[in-house]
Amino acid sequence: MDQASAAGIRPIILCGNLHRRLWSPDSPFLSTLQLVSDRTRYAAPVIVGHIEHTFLILADLHRLGIRDAIIFLEPEYRSTATSAIVAALSEHLEDMLHLVLPVGHTPQQEANFHRAVSDAANTVRTTNIALFGMPAASTDLGHGYIIPGEPLQDWPLCRVGVFTEQADATFTRVLVSQGGLRNSGMALYDPRLLCEEAAIIAPVHYAQCQK
């Protein structure tokens, strides 16, 4: 059992992208590790990275004294969905939630981040998947956008009113004017729910992840 399984939230850190900036001296990967290093809040992380970055991943883990990470190495970059499903299939603790964190997209304000995760955790333990939106500007192109819908009882959580991927400049301005938030790429959910949904929505893809 994980040393901090009582925390109940396992970070799934995605760093398979080959972009060099992920591995600068003050790398986004290192910052993401530090963000979820408190084992009273978060369980041992799963790290999904490119095989070419094996020693860089290990070096940053060693630098922070993290010895409990679970590492999956990819021969080539895979999608977020693939990485999340593989991590979900590997989960062995029934009450563990998964928190997907794409490196380079995590927030600057740690206190707000931890509070948002904690608020969402109380809701997703039932039948929900939580997405995290970030303040958007009309110039934020190439991102997904979320328009908040009906507020839930656990404010500031809302249902997703509209979700769209990579809007063009015109549509982005419309979304932002309607209160749209930029999709951070972060998500929180029960891994069993993710597997159930993947098996229904993308059965072929899900079956490939099981191999």
Side-chain angles (χ1 to χ4, degrees), residues 63-82:
R63 182 176 173 182
L64 295 180
I66 297 175
R67 300 181 179 180
D68 56 358
I70 304 159
I71 302 173
F72 290 97
L73 297 173
E74 304 170 321
E76 58 186 51
Y77 177 70
R78 307 290 186 185
S79 67
T80 297
T82 299

Side-chain angles (χ1 to χ4, degrees), residues 5 16 43 46 67 73 82 92 109 119 140 166 171 183 205:
S5 60
V46 169
R67 300 181 179 180
L73 297 173
T82 299
H92 61 283
Q109 299 179 348
D119 289 344
D140 286 345
Q166 297 187 348
F171 194 30
N183 180 30
H205 188 71

Side-chain angles (χ1 to χ4, degrees), residues 65-104:
I66 297 175
R67 300 181 179 180
D68 56 358
I70 304 159
I71 302 173
F72 290 97
L73 297 173
E74 304 170 321
E76 58 186 51
Y77 177 70
R78 307 290 186 185
S79 67
T80 297
T82 299
S83 300
I85 292 170
V86 169
L89 288 168
S90 71
E91 184 55 66
H92 61 283
L93 296 177
E94 288 189 3
D95 296 327
M96 189 66 68
L97 298 178
H98 280 193
L99 174 63
V100 169
L101 297 172
V103 167

Side-chain angles (χ1 to χ4, degrees), residues 100-132:
V100 169
L101 297 172
V103 167
H105 294 271
T106 49
Q108 300 290 326
Q109 299 179 348
E110 290 190 20
N112 290 344
F113 167 79
H114 298 311
R115 188 180 305 113
V117 171
S118 178
D119 289 344
N122 295 324
T123 298
V124 302
R125 289 193 183 281
T126 52
T127 57
N128 297 287
I129 295 176
L131 305 179
F132 294 82

Side-chain angles (χ1 to χ4, degrees), residues 17-179:
N17 195 311
L18 289 174
H19 201 293
R20 287 183 178 274
R21 77 177 183 84
L22 298 183
W23 309 102
S24 59
D26 295 320
S27 72
F29 175 66
L30 191 67
S31 299
T32 305
L33 284 176
Q34 291 172 319
L35 187 65
V36 292
S37 60
D38 183 351
R39 289 294 175 268
T40 64
R41 277 195 172 114
Y42 303 103
V46 169
I47 297 170
V48 184
H50 196 282
I51 195 169
E52 290 186 13
H53 296 151
T54 302
F55 293 108
L56 294 172
I57 292 171
L58 294 175
D60 279 348
L61 289 171
H62 177 73
R63 182 176 173 182
L64 295 180
I66 297 175
R67 300 181 179 180
D68 56 358
I70 304 159
I71 302 173
F72 290 97
L73 297 173
E74 304 170 321
E76 58 186 51
Y77 177 70
R78 307 290 186 185
S79 67
T80 297
T82 299
S83 300
I85 292 170
V86 169
L89 288 168
S90 71
E91 184 55 66
H92 61 283
L93 296 177
E94 288 189 3
D95 296 327
M96 189 66 68
L97 298 178
H98 280 193
L99 174 63
V100 169
L101 297 172
V103 167
H105 294 271
T106 49
Q108 300 290 326
Q109 299 179 348
E110 290 190 20
N112 290 344
F113 167 79
H114 298 311
R115 188 180 305 113
V117 171
S118 178
D119 289 344
N122 295 324
T123 298
V124 302
R125 289 193 183 281
T126 52
T127 57
N128 297 287
I129 295 176
L131 305 179
F132 294 82
M134 303 176 72
S138 59
T139 55
D140 286 345
L141 302 179
H143 299 286
Y145 280 85
I146 305 165
I147 294 183
E150 176 187 355
L152 297 176
Q153 185 175 0
D154 299 323
W155 178 257
L157 300 178
C158 299
R159 297 189 183 279
V160 174
V162 176
F163 180 85
T164 184
E165 287 279 8
Q166 297 187 348
D168 61 23
T170 301
F171 194 30
T172 294
R173 285 192 289 270
V174 172
L175 292 171
V176 173
S177 70
Q178 295 177 356

